[in-house]
Amino acid sequence: MRKTLQKAGAVAILCALLPAGQLMAAAATATAVLNNSETAVGQPVQLQIKVTGSSTATPPSEISVDGLDIRYSGQSQLLEGHNFQFSYSFIYNYTVMPLRTGTFKIPPQTVRANNGSLQTPALTLNVVGSGGTRPSSRSGRSDEKIDPGKIGFVQLILSKSTAYVGEMIPAEVRLGFNIHTPVESLGGGIDITGQGFTTQKIREPRQTTETIDGRTYQTFTFKTAIAPARSGNIEIGPVEVNPVVRVPRSSRNPGIPRDLFDPNDPFMDNFFNDPLFMPSASREIKLKSEPALLEVKALPSNAPPSFAGAVGIFTMTTEAKPKSAQVGDPFTVTARISGRGNFDRVTAPSFENDRGWHKYPPSANFEPDDDVGISGAKTFETVLSPNERKENIPAQVFSYFDPLKEQYATLRSDPIPVRVEGGAPSTAAPPPAASQAPASARSAGPTQLKQQEILHQITELAPEPETFAPLYAHRSFWLAQLIPLLGLFGFVGWKIRQSHLDNRELQRREALQQEAAEVQRSLRREDISPQEYFSRASRVVQLKTALAKNLDPNAVDAEIAAFAFGVDDETRRRLHLLFEKSDEARYSGGQNGARIIAPEIREEVLDLVQNLRA
């Protein structure tokens, strides 16, 4: 803090000693430059917009160029002087990540300054294939030796050293830079190397200023969470970062004589050698942390049947709408699971007894409560359709492993009371009208007979004496007509029920076909994380198998899919590998720190799922 005040005082003294006309008061100007005009796919370059003569400049918040990912990475300030003519500039830094080859034009950008606007020049960037050689930086000397340890540091901090398989472990990556070293960009981002674990998506960092061992650092704190995928001792990291910083071009600034101030004050050497106040160059440095050792314990073998891999602490609430319906009409059952844990392994709770219900695949929506996504609430909506009269919706069951109590726990909801009315039409036929009965029947008893009595009389009907009365006047004639009439009603009822069943089956197949088409289309997107990509690919295989063999898609695994499509040994092996990747990714939201999938892997998975045909 004392040095900062001294710097501010030195600048103030400079301004006081020099005539006002010597501080450049020209109109504000803006320019832009790339540190390299040529690069390769995946190799970032730095874009700088420099504004001179304005302290209220507002740079563009977003620069859009098709084929380039351009993101704002911070700003720095620069005081330049020549022959005691000084100017104060703001430098706005952007990281440009090429996504494909070609020649790209970055159009002029508008910078608002001094109640007006400034235009930067257009820039051209040539991008070659990823196998090409990245050009060396134009600025700075490649033979200059730099000790990264004097510029910055990176640390990986785990919240605990012992965990269970699948347990989410909060972690921090702290990246610090000497306060005298301006940071242009953080390079390609944070990469936690290693095998046997997955990581959540790393969010934007929190920036602070800290004093460590007498030195002041600008620190960036990244939060994430790590989930081990296997038991044993796992080495997490190291973390590797390749930031771009500005370093002095020379050990001393010859433009300002030392005897302007006290020559014995060492602060003046530090001040005029600070990259903020002297000519400097962009340099990429390499920072690397120490690895962290994590002891991982396997989950106990006595898992309940409803356990699907959830590890953490959870609660569950359920509700259903509407409260009454007809047979065949849908109910929407909502289950909300809240808590802290690996929500990527939290699946929809199962129903204790779904006999007499037709269940559709559930939908899921996760609402995080933190920056990492290890606490929050996941909501599942399941549509149930009753096949018969019901008084309640069956209880739902969800199981998880509690790492604090070191045991499995099962949550069970109460059955939800509902009213289901209607049902299959009755097969009973109405009794014949009294006017149609013979006179002897009308005089013998009630005018209408119950169905059970009629059937009893059909089976035990006593022989009637011969008579010359017309056939339609005999009671036996009308009783005989009931047999085909009952059969007709029974047939109509059966057809109606079969139509309902066929209609539900048709709706189920249409829903599966629609889901399969949507998920398969999403596999062509490039913004899907590896864990989500493999999960969707395995889901497509399950849906195509279910449609081909009329199965429940949730029960399909790699072996069932291979048998259903009659594939060869190589395709069978690829199916098993796909489901293994999907199962491993389900433990958390990352894939060993990776954030993108190589194009060749994406094409291989697409080829596999598209060629599955019965």
Side-chain angles (χ1 to χ4, degrees), residues 5 84 140 159 163 166 204 232 288 515 523 536 564 613:
L5 294 174
F84 284 90
S159 61
E204 292 297 321
K288 187 175 181 180
E515 181 184 359
L523 295 180
R536 293 186 183 187
R613 295 184 178 89

Side-chain angles (χ1 to χ4, degrees), residues 393-414:
I393 293 176
Q396 290 183 277
V397 178
F398 174 76
S399 297
Y400 64 93
F401 180 78
D402 188 334
L404 297 181
K405 297 181 179 179
E406 298 186 331
Q407 63 184 15
Y408 291 101
T410 299
L411 303 176
R412 181 185 182 278
S413 67
D414 294 328

Side-chain angles (χ1 to χ4, degrees), residues 6-341:
Q6 287 178 326
K7 288 184 181 181
V11 174
I13 294 173
L14 280 175
C15 297
L17 290 176
L18 299 176
Q22 288 182 319
L23 283 173
M24 301 183 82
T29 60
T31 185
V33 66
L34 292 169
N35 72 326
N36 279 301
S37 60
E38 293 187 1
T39 186
V41 174
Q43 301 282 357
V45 297
Q46 303 304 314
L47 166 64
Q48 289 186 338
I49 296 179
K50 181 179 178 181
V51 180
T52 304
S54 174
S55 60
T56 60
T58 303
S61 59
E62 181 178 352
I63 302 177
S64 299
V65 178
D66 186 27
L68 301 178
D69 184 10
I70 305 178
R71 300 189 181 186
Y72 179 74
S73 57
Q75 73 177 55
S76 57
Q77 301 172 2
L78 180 64
L79 177 65
E80 298 175 301
H82 181 69
N83 293 332
F84 284 90
Q85 298 290 328
F86 293 91
S87 64
Y88 197 68
S89 304
F90 289 86
I91 298 177
Y92 303 96
N93 302 295
Y94 298 81
T95 300
V96 182
M97 176 66 74
L99 303 179
R100 63 172 186 266
T101 60
T103 300
F104 301 93
K105 183 177 181 181
I106 302 176
Q109 301 298 312
T110 301
V111 180
R112 295 192 299 274
N114 293 342
N115 298 324
S117 61
L118 307 173
Q119 289 287 113
T120 67
L123 301 174
T124 301
L125 178 64
N126 185 36
V127 181
V128 298
S130 57
T133 303
R134 182 179 179 180
S136 60
S137 175
R138 297 181 306 179
S139 57
R141 301 194 305 269
S142 60
D143 59 347
E144 186 176 357
K145 301 295 183 181
I146 296 179
D147 182 6
K150 295 182 179 180
I151 294 178
F153 66 88
V154 59
Q155 295 177 332
L156 172 62
I157 304 173
L158 301 182
S159 61
K160 58 193 306 185
S161 58
T162 303
Y164 281 92
V165 172
E167 181 181 355
M168 300 301 293
I169 306 167
E172 283 188 358
V173 176
R174 297 181 71 248
L175 180 60
F177 297 94
N178 191 304
I179 197 66
H180 300 296
T181 305
V183 181
E184 290 192 351
S185 78
L186 302 181
I190 303 298
D191 185 18
I192 305 177
T193 61
Q195 297 292 329
F197 65 92
T198 59
T199 62
Q200 292 289 83
K201 182 179 180 180
I202 299 178
R203 306 294 179 176
E204 292 297 321
R206 176 175 57 89
Q207 300 185 37
T208 57
T209 301
E210 301 180 25
T211 300
I212 304 174
D213 296 332
R215 294 184 178 181
T216 304
Y217 292 88
Q218 180 185 9
T219 60
F220 299 82
T221 302
F222 300 84
K223 291 186 177 182
T224 184
I226 292 173
R230 59 174 175 84
S231 59
N233 292 328
I234 296 179
E235 191 174 80
I236 311 296
V239 178
E240 298 180 355
V241 190
N242 298 321
V244 178
V245 299
R246 299 195 68 84
V247 296
R249 288 182 179 173
S250 62
S251 61
R252 180 172 176 81
N253 188 347
I256 302 179
R258 283 191 58 182
D259 56 6
L260 181 65
F261 299 100
D262 182 2
N264 297 320
D265 186 357
F267 161 70
M268 297 312 299
D269 262 341
N270 293 332
F271 173 73
F272 290 114
N273 285 330
D274 195 323
L276 286 172
F277 299 97
M278 68 174 294
S280 58
S282 299
R283 290 293 301 273
E284 181 181 86
I285 63 173
K286 298 183 181 299
L287 299 177
K288 187 175 181 180
S289 74
E290 294 294 329
L293 187 64
L294 182 64
E295 180 185 352
V296 183
K297 296 182 287 187
L299 297 178
S301 58
N302 59 332
S306 58
F307 177 71
V311 179
I313 302 175
F314 304 98
T315 60
M316 180 176 68
T317 59
T318 59
E319 64 174 350
K321 292 181 181 180
K323 297 301 182 182
S324 63
Q326 297 290 322
V327 169
D329 291 342
F331 288 92
T332 300
V333 183
T334 302
R336 181 180 176 88
I337 298 177
S338 308
R340 182 181 178 89

